[in-house]
C-alpha cells in the first residue's frame, strides 16, 4: 500500500521503516530539513539499536523515501500522524503539531481526493480523534482512525514488527478493513474499538506502568528503613502470574517522553470531567521526589558536597536510547550543581544532549574515566557498559569509594566485600 508518515521522530521513523520492511511504499515527512537530508543518506537522526541498518536496507529496496512536503504523498492511501504531543504549560497535551498536520492533510486531500485513512498514532487526549473526524468530515472518502503506539525506545523496531497488540479505533468498517490490510504481515492481538477507547487505552497503559514503578519506589523507601531488600521483594512479587515481573524495579524514578506527560495529561482530562484520579496524583508525586530521595542517601554520607567530585553514570532516561526528555539525570545534575558539587558524567550516546543543558559539567568518553578522583559515584542509567566495570581498577581511581546505585544493578555484595561503601535503592 502507499503510506505516508508525518513526523519522523522515535515513533514516526520506526513506523515508517517497519511498514517499508513489510513491503509497503512509504513516504516519511518531517518539517526539519536536516533530518530529511540525513534520512535520505540512510542515517537515523535518533539513536535506536538496529534502525540505521534496516533504514539503509529499505532505502536500497526503494520502499521508503523522505521529504519535507506532504503534497508529494498525493497517492497515499494511509497517512499516519506521528507528530509530538508535548506537555503544554497548563499540563494538558499540546496539540499544535497535530492540528498543523491535520491542516496539511486537509489541503492535500482537497488537491487529491482519493479514498484514504488518516491514522492518529500520536498519543492524544480522549476525543481528539472524534474532533479530527468532524473537522475533516467535509473531505469525501477520508476516514479518521485512532491507532495508538506502544513501542518502547531501545527496542522500537522489534516492538513495531512484533507488537504486543494493535489497537484500532474507527467508526467505519471500510477504515477498519484498510487498517487490517496494512497490518496484514504483522501478527499481534487485534483490538477493534472506538476512537475514544483506543485513546484511553494508551493513556491508561502508561499511567498503570508508571503506577507500578512509583509503588516499587515507595516500597524501596520502606525497605531502606526496615532492612528488607526491594529487589528480592519485586522478584518474589513478579513470579505471581497475576502480577508479572515487568516494571517492578525500584530506581531513581521514571522519565522519558511519555510517562511524565501522559500521566499529567490524563489527570487534567479527568479533572476537566470532574473526576479526581487520586492514585495517579500520588504516582507523580512519588516520582517527582524519587531522584531527591536518592540524593539524600548521598547527603547522609557526605553532608557537604561543595567542591566534591561526583561521578554520574548514565544520562539517558533509560538504556539503549539517546532520549533525555524528563530524564531523572537532569534533576540529579541540577541538584548536585546547586550543592556546589563538581560533576563528571558519562553516557554512551546522550552526553551531547545533556551538555547543551549543563555545559559546566565534565563529560568523559569512557565509563571508567568518571571515577578518576571521584568522591562518590552514582549509577543513574543502567547501560551495560556502566554496569560491567573493572571494580579493582575503580577502587584505585576513586578518591573516596562511595557508590550509590540508582538502578540496583551493581553487584552489591561483591562491592562491599571489595571495600566499597555501597548504597542501592531499598537494597539491604
Ligand atoms: N517516543 C516514544 O517512546 C513513544 C511511544 C509511544 C507513543 N509516543 C507518542 O508518539 C508521538 C510522537 O512521539 P516521538 O517520541 O516520536 O516524538 P518526536 O519529537 O521524536 O518526533 C516528532 C516529529 O514530528 C515532526 N513534526 C512536527 N510537526 C510536524 C509536521 N507538521 N509535519 C511533519 N513533521 C512534523 C518533528 O519535527 C519531529 O521530528 C507523541 O504523541 C508521543 O507521545 C511516543
Amino acid at each position: 500500500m502507499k503510506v505516508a508518515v508525518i513526523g519522523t521522530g522515535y515513533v514516526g521513523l520506526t513506523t515508517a521503516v517497519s511498514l517499508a520492511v513489510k513491503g509497503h511504499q512509504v513516504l516519511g515527512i518531517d518539517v526539519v530539513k536536516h533530518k530529511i537530508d540525513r534520512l535520505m543518506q540512510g542515517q537515523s537522526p535518533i539513536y535506536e539499536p538496529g534502525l540505521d541498518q534496516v533504514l539503509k536496507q529499505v532505502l536500497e529496496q526503494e520502499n521508503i523515501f523522505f521529504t519535507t512536503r506532504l503534497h508529494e504523498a498525493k497517492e497515499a492511501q494511509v497517512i499516519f500522524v506521528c507528530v509530538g504531543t508535548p506537555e503544554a504549560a497548563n499540563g494538558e497535551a499540546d496539540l499544535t503539531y497535530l492540528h498543523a498536520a491535520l491542516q496539511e492533510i486537509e489541503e492535500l486531500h482537497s488537491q487529491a481526493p482519493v479514498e484514504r485513512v488518516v491514522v492518529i498514532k500520536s498519543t492524544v487526549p480522549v476525543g481528539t480523534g472524534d474532533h479530527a473526524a468532524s473537522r475533516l468530515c467535509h473531505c469525501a472518502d477520508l476516514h479518521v482512525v485512532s491507532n495508538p503506539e506502544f513501542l518502547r525506545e531501545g527496542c522500537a523496531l522489534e516492538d513495531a514488527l512484533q507488537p504486543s497488540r494493535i489497537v484500532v479505533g474507527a467508526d467505519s468498517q471500510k477504515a477498519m478493513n484498510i487498517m487490517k490490510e496494512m497490518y496484514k504481515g504483522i501478527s499481534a492481538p487485534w483490538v477493534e474499538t472506538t476512537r475514544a477507547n483506543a485513546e484511553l487505552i494508551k493513556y491508561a497503559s502508561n499511567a498503570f506502568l508508571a503506577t507500578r514503578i512509583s509503588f516499587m519506589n515507595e516500597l524501596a523507601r520502606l525497605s531502606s528503613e526496615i532492612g528488607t531488600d526491594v529487589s528480592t521483594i519485586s522478584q518474589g512479587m513478579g513470579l505471581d502470574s497475576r502480577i508479572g515481573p515487568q516494571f517492578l524495579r525500584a530506581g531513581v524514578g521514571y522519565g522519558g517522553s511519555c510517562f511524565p506527560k501522559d500521566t499529567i495529561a490524563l489527570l487534567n482530562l479527568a479533572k476537566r470531567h470532574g473526576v479526581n484520579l487520586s492514585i495517579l496524583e500520588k504516582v507523580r508525586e512519588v516520582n517527582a521526589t524519587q531522584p531527591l530521595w536518592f540524593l539524600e542517601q548521598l547527603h547522609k554520607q557526605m553532608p557537604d558536597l561543595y567542591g566534591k567530585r561526583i561521578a554520574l553514570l548514565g544520562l539517558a532516561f533509560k538504556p539503549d536510547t539517546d532520549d533525555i526528555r524528563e530524564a531523572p539525570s537532569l534533576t540529579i545534575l541540577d541538584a548536585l550543581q546547586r550543592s556546589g558539587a563538581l560533576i563528571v558524567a558519562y553516557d554512551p550516546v546522550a552526553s551531547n544532549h545533556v551538555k547543551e543543558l549543563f555545559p559546566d559539567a565534565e563529560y568523559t568518553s569512557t565509563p571508567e574515566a568518571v571515577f578518576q578522583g571521584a568522591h562518590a559515584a552514582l549509577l543513574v542509567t543502567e547501560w551495560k557498559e556502566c554496569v560491567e566495570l573493572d571494580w579493582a581498577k575503580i577502587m584505585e581511581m576513586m578518591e573516596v569509594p562511595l557508590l550509590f546505585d540508582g538502578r540496583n544493578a551493581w553487584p552489591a555484595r561483591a562491592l562491599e566485600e571489595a571495600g566499597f561503601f555501597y548504597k542501592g535503592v531499598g537494597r539491604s
Side-chain angles (χ1 to χ4, degrees), residues 379-405:
L379 178 67
V380 182
T381 313
E382 69 279 31
W383 287 93
K384 198 164 179 266
E385 53 264 69
C386 296
V387 172
E388 294 173 5
L389 293 158
D390 180 346
W391 292 107
K393 193 168 142 201
I394 287 165
M395 178 56 106
E396 314 242 298
M397 295 168 81
M398 289 185 81
E399 183 72 23
V400 187
L402 289 185
L403 299 178
F404 295 86
D405 179 357

PDB file of all heavy atoms in Angstrom, residues 379-405:
ATOM      1  N   LEU A 379      25.103   5.550  39.924  1.00  0.00           N
ATOM      2  CA  LEU A 379      24.583   4.915  38.704  1.00  0.00           C
ATOM      3  C   LEU A 379      23.171   5.450  38.466  1.00  0.00           C
ATOM      4  O   LEU A 379      22.279   5.268  39.298  1.00  0.00           O
ATOM      5  CB  LEU A 379      24.549   3.389  38.842  1.00  0.00           C
ATOM      6  CG  LEU A 379      23.970   2.670  37.618  1.00  0.00           C
ATOM      7  CD1 LEU A 379      24.876   2.808  36.395  1.00  0.00           C
ATOM      8  CD2 LEU A 379      23.728   1.183  37.897  1.00  0.00           C
ATOM      9  N   VAL A 380      22.987   6.126  37.339  1.00  0.00           N
ATOM     10  CA  VAL A 380      21.678   6.733  37.060  1.00  0.00           C
ATOM     11  C   VAL A 380      20.941   5.964  35.962  1.00  0.00           C
ATOM     12  O   VAL A 380      19.732   5.784  36.015  1.00  0.00           O
ATOM     13  CB  VAL A 380      21.858   8.221  36.662  1.00  0.00           C
ATOM     14  CG1 VAL A 380      20.511   8.885  36.414  1.00  0.00           C
ATOM     15  CG2 VAL A 380      22.610   8.970  37.747  1.00  0.00           C
ATOM     16  N   THR A 381      21.671   5.493  34.956  1.00  0.00           N
ATOM     17  CA  THR A 381      21.053   4.710  33.871  1.00  0.00           C
ATOM     18  C   THR A 381      21.884   3.443  33.674  1.00  0.00           C
ATOM     19  O   THR A 381      23.103   3.526  33.513  1.00  0.00           O
ATOM     20  CB  THR A 381      21.048   5.517  32.562  1.00  0.00           C
ATOM     21  OG1 THR A 381      20.563   6.827  32.839  1.00  0.00           O
ATOM     22  CG2 THR A 381      20.170   4.864  31.507  1.00  0.00           C
ATOM     23  N   GLU A 382      21.189   2.302  33.695  1.00  0.00           N
ATOM     24  CA  GLU A 382      21.923   1.021  33.741  1.00  0.00           C
ATOM     25  C   GLU A 382      22.353   0.524  32.360  1.00  0.00           C
ATOM     26  O   GLU A 382      22.046  -0.585  31.952  1.00  0.00           O
ATOM     27  CB  GLU A 382      21.101  -0.030  34.503  1.00  0.00           C
ATOM     28  CG  GLU A 382      19.829  -0.532  33.843  1.00  0.00           C
ATOM     29  CD  GLU A 382      18.621   0.369  33.986  1.00  0.00           C
ATOM     30  OE1 GLU A 382      18.769   1.601  34.061  1.00  0.00           O
ATOM     31  OE2 GLU A 382      17.496  -0.169  33.974  1.00  0.00           O
ATOM     32  N   TRP A 383      23.084   1.380  31.607  1.00  0.00           N
ATOM     33  CA  TRP A 383      23.710   0.913  30.372  1.00  0.00           C
ATOM     34  C   TRP A 383      24.625  -0.251  30.726  1.00  0.00           C
ATOM     35  O   TRP A 383      25.261  -0.221  31.790  1.00  0.00           O
ATOM     36  CB  TRP A 383      24.562   2.023  29.749  1.00  0.00           C
ATOM     37  CG  TRP A 383      23.835   3.141  29.101  1.00  0.00           C
ATOM     38  CD1 TRP A 383      23.470   4.325  29.678  1.00  0.00           C
ATOM     39  CD2 TRP A 383      23.420   3.227  27.735  1.00  0.00           C
ATOM     40  NE1 TRP A 383      22.854   5.128  28.751  1.00  0.00           N
ATOM     41  CE2 TRP A 383      22.817   4.477  27.557  1.00  0.00           C
ATOM     42  CE3 TRP A 383      23.518   2.357  26.640  1.00  0.00           C
ATOM     43  CZ2 TRP A 383      22.294   4.889  26.338  1.00  0.00           C
ATOM     44  CZ3 TRP A 383      22.999   2.765  25.423  1.00  0.00           C
ATOM     45  CH2 TRP A 383      22.394   4.012  25.284  1.00  0.00           C
ATOM     46  N   LYS A 384      24.767  -1.210  29.815  1.00  0.00           N
ATOM     47  CA  LYS A 384      25.632  -2.378  30.066  1.00  0.00           C
ATOM     48  C   LYS A 384      27.045  -1.918  30.456  1.00  0.00           C
ATOM     49  O   LYS A 384      27.619  -2.412  31.424  1.00  0.00           O
ATOM     50  CB  LYS A 384      25.674  -3.220  28.779  1.00  0.00           C
ATOM     51  CG  LYS A 384      26.144  -4.617  28.963  1.00  0.00           C
ATOM     52  CD  LYS A 384      25.752  -5.433  27.707  1.00  0.00           C
ATOM     53  CE  LYS A 384      26.233  -6.865  27.820  1.00  0.00           C
ATOM     54  NZ  LYS A 384      27.520  -7.108  27.222  1.00  0.00           N
ATOM     55  N   GLU A 385      27.575  -0.947  29.708  1.00  0.00           N
ATOM     56  CA  GLU A 385      28.959  -0.529  29.986  1.00  0.00           C
ATOM     57  C   GLU A 385      29.087   0.250  31.292  1.00  0.00           C
ATOM     58  O   GLU A 385      30.201   0.494  31.751  1.00  0.00           O
ATOM     59  CB  GLU A 385      29.561   0.263  28.812  1.00  0.00           C
ATOM     60  CG  GLU A 385      28.753   1.450  28.339  1.00  0.00           C
ATOM     61  CD  GLU A 385      27.877   1.101  27.149  1.00  0.00           C
ATOM     62  OE1 GLU A 385      26.906   0.323  27.334  1.00  0.00           O
ATOM     63  OE2 GLU A 385      28.128   1.635  26.060  1.00  0.00           O
ATOM     64  N   CYS A 386      27.947   0.699  31.855  1.00  0.00           N
ATOM     65  CA  CYS A 386      28.011   1.396  33.147  1.00  0.00           C
ATOM     66  C   CYS A 386      27.849   0.408  34.305  1.00  0.00           C
ATOM     67  O   CYS A 386      27.930   0.786  35.472  1.00  0.00           O
ATOM     68  CB  CYS A 386      26.913   2.451  33.242  1.00  0.00           C
ATOM     69  SG  CYS A 386      27.088   3.766  32.036  1.00  0.00           S
ATOM     70  N   VAL A 387      27.531  -0.825  33.959  1.00  0.00           N
ATOM     71  CA  VAL A 387      27.285  -1.838  34.986  1.00  0.00           C
ATOM     72  C   VAL A 387      28.445  -2.824  35.053  1.00  0.00           C
ATOM     73  O   VAL A 387      28.903  -3.195  36.129  1.00  0.00           O
ATOM     74  CB  VAL A 387      25.950  -2.575  34.677  1.00  0.00           C
ATOM     75  CG1 VAL A 387      25.757  -3.761  35.601  1.00  0.00           C
ATOM     76  CG2 VAL A 387      24.770  -1.614  34.798  1.00  0.00           C
ATOM     77  N   GLU A 388      28.927  -3.228  33.880  1.00  0.00           N
ATOM     78  CA  GLU A 388      30.010  -4.217  33.850  1.00  0.00           C
ATOM     79  C   GLU A 388      31.349  -3.487  33.864  1.00  0.00           C
ATOM     80  O   GLU A 388      31.866  -3.075  32.827  1.00  0.00           O
ATOM     81  CB  GLU A 388      29.861  -5.096  32.598  1.00  0.00           C
ATOM     82  CG  GLU A 388      28.605  -5.945  32.685  1.00  0.00           C
ATOM     83  CD  GLU A 388      28.295  -6.706  31.420  1.00  0.00           C
ATOM     84  OE1 GLU A 388      29.102  -6.664  30.465  1.00  0.00           O
ATOM     85  OE2 GLU A 388      27.229  -7.331  31.382  1.00  0.00           O
ATOM     86  N   LEU A 389      31.892  -3.324  35.060  1.00  0.00           N
ATOM     87  CA  LEU A 389      33.086  -2.481  35.217  1.00  0.00           C
ATOM     88  C   LEU A 389      34.205  -3.242  35.926  1.00  0.00           C
ATOM     89  O   LEU A 389      33.948  -4.232  36.627  1.00  0.00           O
ATOM     90  CB  LEU A 389      32.704  -1.233  36.028  1.00  0.00           C
ATOM     91  CG  LEU A 389      31.739  -0.279  35.328  1.00  0.00           C
ATOM     92  CD1 LEU A 389      31.012   0.592  36.341  1.00  0.00           C
ATOM     93  CD2 LEU A 389      32.473   0.607  34.330  1.00  0.00           C
ATOM     94  N   ASP A 390      35.406  -2.732  35.757  1.00  0.00           N
ATOM     95  CA  ASP A 390      36.573  -3.335  36.423  1.00  0.00           C
ATOM     96  C   ASP A 390      36.703  -2.678  37.802  1.00  0.00           C
ATOM     97  O   ASP A 390      37.342  -1.632  37.963  1.00  0.00           O
ATOM     98  CB  ASP A 390      37.810  -3.073  35.549  1.00  0.00           C
ATOM     99  CG  ASP A 390      39.069  -3.668  36.160  1.00  0.00           C
ATOM    100  OD1 ASP A 390      39.039  -4.041  37.342  1.00  0.00           O
ATOM    101  OD2 ASP A 390      40.078  -3.731  35.434  1.00  0.00           O
ATOM    102  N   TRP A 391      36.083  -3.283  38.795  1.00  0.00           N
ATOM    103  CA  TRP A 391      35.964  -2.648  40.103  1.00  0.00           C
ATOM    104  C   TRP A 391      37.306  -2.522  40.842  1.00  0.00           C
ATOM    105  O   TRP A 391      37.513  -1.589  41.606  1.00  0.00           O
ATOM    106  CB  TRP A 391      34.929  -3.380  40.961  1.00  0.00           C
ATOM    107  CG  TRP A 391      33.559  -3.183  40.399  1.00  0.00           C
ATOM    108  CD1 TRP A 391      32.803  -4.102  39.736  1.00  0.00           C
ATOM    109  CD2 TRP A 391      32.792  -1.971  40.395  1.00  0.00           C
ATOM    110  NE1 TRP A 391      31.606  -3.556  39.320  1.00  0.00           N
ATOM    111  CE2 TRP A 391      31.572  -2.240  39.722  1.00  0.00           C
ATOM    112  CE3 TRP A 391      32.994  -0.687  40.896  1.00  0.00           C
ATOM    113  CZ2 TRP A 391      30.575  -1.289  39.530  1.00  0.00           C
ATOM    114  CZ3 TRP A 391      31.997   0.275  40.713  1.00  0.00           C
ATOM    115  CH2 TRP A 391      30.814  -0.035  40.034  1.00  0.00           C
ATOM    116  N   ALA A 392      38.217  -3.453  40.578  1.00  0.00           N
ATOM    117  CA  ALA A 392      39.523  -3.373  41.248  1.00  0.00           C
ATOM    118  C   ALA A 392      40.245  -2.105  40.781  1.00  0.00           C
ATOM    119  O   ALA A 392      40.825  -1.359  41.583  1.00  0.00           O
ATOM    120  CB  ALA A 392      40.342  -4.615  40.921  1.00  0.00           C
ATOM    121  N   LYS A 393      40.156  -1.853  39.477  1.00  0.00           N
ATOM    122  CA  LYS A 393      40.787  -0.651  38.920  1.00  0.00           C
ATOM    123  C   LYS A 393      40.105   0.616  39.473  1.00  0.00           C
ATOM    124  O   LYS A 393      40.765   1.598  39.823  1.00  0.00           O
ATOM    125  CB  LYS A 393      40.640  -0.720  37.383  1.00  0.00           C
ATOM    126  CG  LYS A 393      41.489   0.254  36.631  1.00  0.00           C
ATOM    127  CD  LYS A 393      41.470  -0.125  35.152  1.00  0.00           C
ATOM    128  CE  LYS A 393      41.440   1.101  34.282  1.00  0.00           C
ATOM    129  NZ  LYS A 393      40.948   0.819  32.936  1.00  0.00           N
ATOM    130  N   ILE A 394      38.776   0.535  39.571  1.00  0.00           N
ATOM    131  CA  ILE A 394      37.997   1.695  40.036  1.00  0.00           C
ATOM    132  C   ILE A 394      38.345   2.032  41.493  1.00  0.00           C
ATOM    133  O   ILE A 394      38.445   3.204  41.867  1.00  0.00           O
ATOM    134  CB  ILE A 394      36.490   1.442  39.830  1.00  0.00           C
ATOM    135  CG1 ILE A 394      36.182   1.531  38.331  1.00  0.00           C
ATOM    136  CG2 ILE A 394      35.625   2.414  40.618  1.00  0.00           C
ATOM    137  CD1 ILE A 394      34.862   0.979  37.922  1.00  0.00           C
ATOM    138  N   MET A 395      38.559   0.995  42.292  1.00  0.00           N
ATOM    139  CA  MET A 395      38.931   1.214  43.703  1.00  0.00           C
ATOM    140  C   MET A 395      40.197   2.077  43.784  1.00  0.00           C
ATOM    141  O   MET A 395      40.315   2.955  44.641  1.00  0.00           O
ATOM    142  CB  MET A 395      39.138  -0.152  44.370  1.00  0.00           C
ATOM    143  CG  MET A 395      39.569  -0.071  45.803  1.00  0.00           C
ATOM    144  SD  MET A 395      38.415   0.890  46.811  1.00  0.00           S
ATOM    145  CE  MET A 395      37.599  -0.342  47.743  1.00  0.00           C
ATOM    146  N   GLU A 396      41.105   1.848  42.857  1.00  0.00           N
ATOM    147  CA  GLU A 396      42.348   2.637  42.848  1.00  0.00           C
ATOM    148  C   GLU A 396      42.117   4.069  42.367  1.00  0.00           C
ATOM    149  O   GLU A 396      42.809   4.992  42.782  1.00  0.00           O
ATOM    150  CB  GLU A 396      43.352   2.009  41.870  1.00  0.00           C
ATOM    151  CG  GLU A 396      43.477   0.507  42.000  1.00  0.00           C
ATOM    152  CD  GLU A 396      44.874   0.104  42.385  1.00  0.00           C
ATOM    153  OE1 GLU A 396      45.766   0.394  41.598  1.00  0.00           O
ATOM    154  OE2 GLU A 396      45.025  -0.468  43.494  1.00  0.00           O
ATOM    155  N   MET A 397      41.134   4.218  41.480  1.00  0.00           N
ATOM    156  CA  MET A 397      40.917   5.530  40.867  1.00  0.00           C
ATOM    157  C   MET A 397      40.143   6.503  41.751  1.00  0.00           C
ATOM    158  O   MET A 397      40.349   7.709  41.683  1.00  0.00           O
ATOM    159  CB  MET A 397      40.133   5.378  39.542  1.00  0.00           C
ATOM    160  CG  MET A 397      40.877   4.619  38.457  1.00  0.00           C
ATOM    161  SD  MET A 397      39.756   4.195  37.108  1.00  0.00           S
ATOM    162  CE  MET A 397      39.739   5.740  36.229  1.00  0.00           C
ATOM    163  N   MET A 398      39.250   5.971  42.593  1.00  0.00           N
ATOM    164  CA  MET A 398      38.368   6.875  43.352  1.00  0.00           C
ATOM    165  C   MET A 398      39.089   7.496  44.547  1.00  0.00           C
ATOM    166  O   MET A 398      39.881   6.844  45.206  1.00  0.00           O
ATOM    167  CB  MET A 398      37.108   6.131  43.837  1.00  0.00           C
ATOM    168  CG  MET A 398      36.161   5.785  42.715  1.00  0.00           C
ATOM    169  SD  MET A 398      34.625   5.032  43.325  1.00  0.00           S
ATOM    170  CE  MET A 398      33.705   6.496  43.835  1.00  0.00           C
ATOM    171  N   GLU A 399      38.730   8.747  44.812  1.00  0.00           N
ATOM    172  CA  GLU A 399      39.290   9.428  45.984  1.00  0.00           C
ATOM    173  C   GLU A 399      38.656   8.826  47.246  1.00  0.00           C
ATOM    174  O   GLU A 399      39.333   8.567  48.229  1.00  0.00           O
ATOM    175  CB  GLU A 399      38.967  10.936  45.853  1.00  0.00           C
ATOM    176  CG  GLU A 399      39.509  11.829  46.911  1.00  0.00           C
ATOM    177  CD  GLU A 399      41.024  12.011  46.813  1.00  0.00           C
ATOM    178  OE1 GLU A 399      41.567  11.817  45.711  1.00  0.00           O
ATOM    179  OE2 GLU A 399      41.636  12.313  47.855  1.00  0.00           O
ATOM    180  N   VAL A 400      37.329   8.650  47.179  1.00  0.00           N
ATOM    181  CA  VAL A 400      36.591   8.012  48.270  1.00  0.00           C
ATOM    182  C   VAL A 400      35.691   6.937  47.619  1.00  0.00           C
ATOM    183  O   VAL A 400      34.946   7.264  46.693  1.00  0.00           O
ATOM    184  CB  VAL A 400      35.693   9.040  49.022  1.00  0.00           C
ATOM    185  CG1 VAL A 400      35.074   8.391  50.244  1.00  0.00           C
ATOM    186  CG2 VAL A 400      36.485  10.285  49.399  1.00  0.00           C
ATOM    187  N   PRO A 401      35.739   5.695  48.078  1.00  0.00           N
ATOM    188  CA  PRO A 401      34.989   4.636  47.377  1.00  0.00           C
ATOM    189  C   PRO A 401      33.517   4.539  47.787  1.00  0.00           C
ATOM    190  O   PRO A 401      33.071   3.545  48.329  1.00  0.00           O
ATOM    191  CB  PRO A 401      35.764   3.369  47.741  1.00  0.00           C
ATOM    192  CG  PRO A 401      36.337   3.663  49.084  1.00  0.00           C
ATOM    193  CD  PRO A 401      36.571   5.135  49.170  1.00  0.00           C
ATOM    194  N   LEU A 402      32.768   5.601  47.490  1.00  0.00           N
ATOM    195  CA  LEU A 402      31.336   5.611  47.827  1.00  0.00           C
ATOM    196  C   LEU A 402      30.526   5.357  46.556  1.00  0.00           C
ATOM    197  O   LEU A 402      30.663   6.108  45.582  1.00  0.00           O
ATOM    198  CB  LEU A 402      30.921   6.987  48.355  1.00  0.00           C
ATOM    199  CG  LEU A 402      31.396   7.446  49.720  1.00  0.00           C
ATOM    200  CD1 LEU A 402      30.762   8.789  50.063  1.00  0.00           C
ATOM    201  CD2 LEU A 402      31.016   6.425  50.779  1.00  0.00           C
ATOM    202  N   LEU A 403      29.676   4.347  46.575  1.00  0.00           N
ATOM    203  CA  LEU A 403      28.875   4.020  45.391  1.00  0.00           C
ATOM    204  C   LEU A 403      27.389   4.100  45.716  1.00  0.00           C
ATOM    205  O   LEU A 403      26.930   3.524  46.718  1.00  0.00           O
ATOM    206  CB  LEU A 403      29.192   2.601  44.902  1.00  0.00           C
ATOM    207  CG  LEU A 403      30.633   2.315  44.477  1.00  0.00           C
ATOM    208  CD1 LEU A 403      30.764   0.849  44.064  1.00  0.00           C
ATOM    209  CD2 LEU A 403      31.065   3.234  43.332  1.00  0.00           C
ATOM    210  N   PHE A 404      26.636   4.795  44.853  1.00  0.00           N
ATOM    211  CA  PHE A 404      25.188   4.904  45.028  1.00  0.00           C
ATOM    212  C   PHE A 404      24.540   4.377  43.757  1.00  0.00           C
ATOM    213  O   PHE A 404      24.693   4.960  42.680  1.00  0.00           O
ATOM    214  CB  PHE A 404      24.787   6.362  45.321  1.00  0.00           C
ATOM    215  CG  PHE A 404      25.347   6.824  46.619  1.00  0.00           C
ATOM    216  CD1 PHE A 404      26.632   7.344  46.691  1.00  0.00           C
ATOM    217  CD2 PHE A 404      24.627   6.661  47.789  1.00  0.00           C
ATOM    218  CE1 PHE A 404      27.175   7.726  47.903  1.00  0.00           C
ATOM    219  CE2 PHE A 404      25.164   7.044  49.015  1.00  0.00           C
ATOM    220  CZ  PHE A 404      26.451   7.567  49.074  1.00  0.00           C
ATOM    221  N   ASP A 405      23.859   3.252  43.914  1.00  0.00           N
ATOM    222  CA  ASP A 405      23.354   2.509  42.755  1.00  0.00           C
ATOM    223  C   ASP A 405      21.868   2.824  42.569  1.00  0.00           C
ATOM    224  O   ASP A 405      21.017   2.227  43.230  1.00  0.00           O
ATOM    225  CB  ASP A 405      23.590   1.019  43.040  1.00  0.00           C
ATOM    226  CG  ASP A 405      23.096   0.124  41.931  1.00  0.00           C
ATOM    227  OD1 ASP A 405      22.515   0.642  40.968  1.00  0.00           O
ATOM    228  OD2 ASP A 405      23.285  -1.104  42.051  1.00  0.00           O
TER     229      ASP A 405
END
